[in-house]
Amino acid sequence: MIIVLKNGTTPEQLREFSDRLSSQYQVQVNVWRGTQSTVLGLLGDTHTIDIESVEANEIVESVKRVQEPYKKANRAFHPNDTVIPVGDAKIGDGSLQLIAGPCSVESEEQIVEIARRVKASGATFLRGGAFKPRTSPYAFQGLREEGLRLLLEAKRATGLPIVTEIMSVSHIDLFRDVDVIQIGARNMQNFELLKEVGKLDKPILLKRGLANTIEETLMSAEYIMSSGNEKVILCERGIRTFETYTRNTLDISAIPVFKKLSHLPVIVDPSHASGIAWMVEPLSMAALAAGADGLIIEVHNDPQHARSDGAQSITPARFDALARKLFTLHRAVRG
Ligand code: PEP
Ligand code: MN
């Protein structure tokens, strides 16, 4: 339930009213203060609340029941866009965030070299998988702890904050120095993992599952947020369709829908969406034009010999040319 308060409500009136609501109805009251209005978001069993009696209060402007099952991720609970600061970067503030790097961390030379190159082209984050979710148990599984150590080396060398995927609750302690933890598509509904990363004070890049709806994705964000961590970044990375030309089908329409339904930042992954290096550029441009806050792009210095996802990886030189186009497009669409 959403309660919009009248302009001019004093902090004392607000405190007294929200205390009364939480004790009378056993609900959690979230307060959102904007420049124009103050909104109370009530979580819990709100069915027993009598709307008319709440409306009768002198500080109440309007009361509305929220139909959607996601509450904290809902734009109604938080009308302004959420902005997530990480180091010098701010995700969701209208700037263009470029997360770039290899699918997998392979060696110190590889990750440091790629980090230096993508940073010089304007990337704001370094990506790289240490724990890899591979379809085949015989495929390269990632360098694991050693991969995390090498990512931190690359961070030391370049200053770029790092984004890397977690696959198991039992690895959480290993991720303490990681700047942004990725929940991969295959784990989007690993609810125990979502609850655990929800206890951290760290941004979470939540990828949409291969065959999950927009609402299911927002419910997974809700799991993280309801456990206490509101720093969630949504990631559209393509979904399974009947099309076989591309690895997945990039759901461009998910971008404006996420933006309409939620206040969380949206990042798009054109690499996993297409599976084809030459498609990364047009899909990146389309995603940015459709309102994405940033892109996560696989970049490899030797794609032909990459240990995973070489076919969809672009070279640092191609990333450089793409980044230039993206910054120009960003100026044109965001002003
Ligand atoms: C990845 O980022 O390398 C990855 C495995 O992504 P996804 O979970 O979207 O497939
Ligand atoms: Mn990959």
Side-chain angles (χ1 to χ4, degrees), residues 103 127 132-133 165 182 184-186 207 237 272 298:
C103 178
R127 67 147 286 149
K132 295 303 303 176
E165 177 170 356
Q182 174 176 319
R186 292 155 189 81
K207 288 190 146 195
R237 46 78 73 206
H272 292 89
E298 287 189 342

Side-chain angles (χ1 to χ4, degrees), residues 87-294:
D88 296 337
K90 285 196 175 69
I91 307 173
D93 71 342
S95 58
L96 170 59
Q97 297 302 322
L98 295 181
I99 307 170
C103 178
S104 300
V105 180
E106 298 171 9
S107 68
E108 181 166 343
E109 301 69 53
Q110 176 240 22
I111 193 70
V112 172
E113 154 83 2
I114 296 172
R116 289 213 163 98
R117 300 281 303 269
V118 298
K119 185 181 180 182
S121 303
T124 42
F125 290 84
L126 174 68
R127 67 147 286 149
F131 292 88
K132 295 303 303 176
R134 304 304 300 281
T135 301
S136 166
Y138 308 117
F140 176 54
Q141 303 286 305
L143 296 181
R144 302 173 68 85
E145 285 96 323
E146 173 67 359
L148 293 178
R149 192 185 69 73
L150 297 180
L151 278 167
L152 292 169
E153 286 296 330
K155 178 181 176 177
R156 258 189 292 280
T158 59
L160 285 179
I162 56 176
V163 181
T164 193
E165 177 170 356
I166 193 166
M167 296 215 298
S168 167
V169 169
S170 67
H171 296 157
I172 287 217
D173 287 346
L174 299 173
F175 281 67
R176 66 190 160 269
D177 296 325
V178 167
D179 299 285
V180 178
I181 296 182
Q182 174 176 319
I183 298 288
R186 292 155 189 81
N187 271 312
M188 190 203 87
Q189 287 191 317
N190 181 338
F191 300 118
E192 290 302 317
L193 183 57
L194 299 179
K195 284 187 236 175
E196 287 305 313
V197 297
K199 293 180 193 158
L200 304 175
D201 180 21
K202 220 183 246 310
I204 307 298
L205 181 75
L206 175 67
K207 288 190 146 195
R208 181 178 179 183
L210 280 73
N212 286 111
T213 63
I214 289 171
E215 183 165 293
E216 285 165 347
T217 309
L218 291 172
M219 289 308 291
S220 290
E222 192 76 14
Y223 259 97
I224 300 169
M225 298 174 85
S226 65
S227 302
N229 184 355
E230 304 199 347
K231 297 178 189 161
V232 179
I233 304 150
L234 304 170
C235 180
E236 164 59 40
R237 46 78 73 206
I239 48 173
R240 282 261 167 99
T241 67
F242 53 81
E243 183 53 68
T244 55
Y245 187 88
T246 46
R247 182 175 180 182
N248 292 289
T249 296
L250 180 60
D251 183 5
I252 284 284
S253 58
I255 304 161
V257 177
F258 279 140
K259 287 279 173 190
K260 184 176 170 60
L261 301 180
S262 177
H263 50 89
L264 297 172
V266 178
I267 297 285
V268 170
D269 177 343
S271 310
H272 292 89
S274 62
I276 307 169
W278 68 261
M279 287 194 74
V280 169
E281 178 175 317
L283 296 188
S284 297
M285 304 287 271
L288 178 54
D293 296 290

